[in-house]
Amino acid sequence: MQRAYVLIETVGGRSKEVVDALRKVTGVAAADVVTGPYDVIAVAEGIDANAVGRLVLNEVRGLQGISKTMTCLAVES
């Protein structure tokens, strides 16, 4: 199982809406409003990196209220 942390900037005042929508997306294990340079952080999971990439591109980035994302794949150490 591949995991990625998706750092999200939202359109002003829409962070809660984005989190609510993300929590309904299959493959999103968690989503929270956070403080700092990003508004929301989500955990995306898939069978491999390609599946996670498709999830972020096709599902996450298409949600209303998202202006920018940065995806950080988790790696084994």
Side-chain angles (χ1 to χ4, degrees):
M1 181 70 69
Q2 179 70 55
R3 177 180 297 145
Y5 298 91
V6 186
L7 313 176
I8 301 168
E9 290 180 19
T10 63
V11 176
R14 307 238 354 229
S15 297
K16 177 148 177 26
E17 281 178 49
V18 168
V19 165
D20 290 343
L22 284 166
R23 289 178 177 167
K24 295 176 185 172
V25 174
T26 301
V28 174
D32 293 291
V33 175
V34 297
T35 61
Y38 294 94
D39 304 307
V40 173
I41 295 179
V43 178
E45 295 180 336
I47 192 139
D48 58 23
N50 287 325
V52 172
R54 284 190 300 274
L55 171 65
V56 173
L57 288 173
N58 299 330
E59 302 291 330
V60 173
R61 291 185 61 181
L63 294 174
Q64 293 292 318
I66 293 178
S67 61
K68 183 178 178 183
T69 64
M70 178 185 291
T71 303
C72 304
L73 286 173
V75 295
E76 294 292 324
S77 57

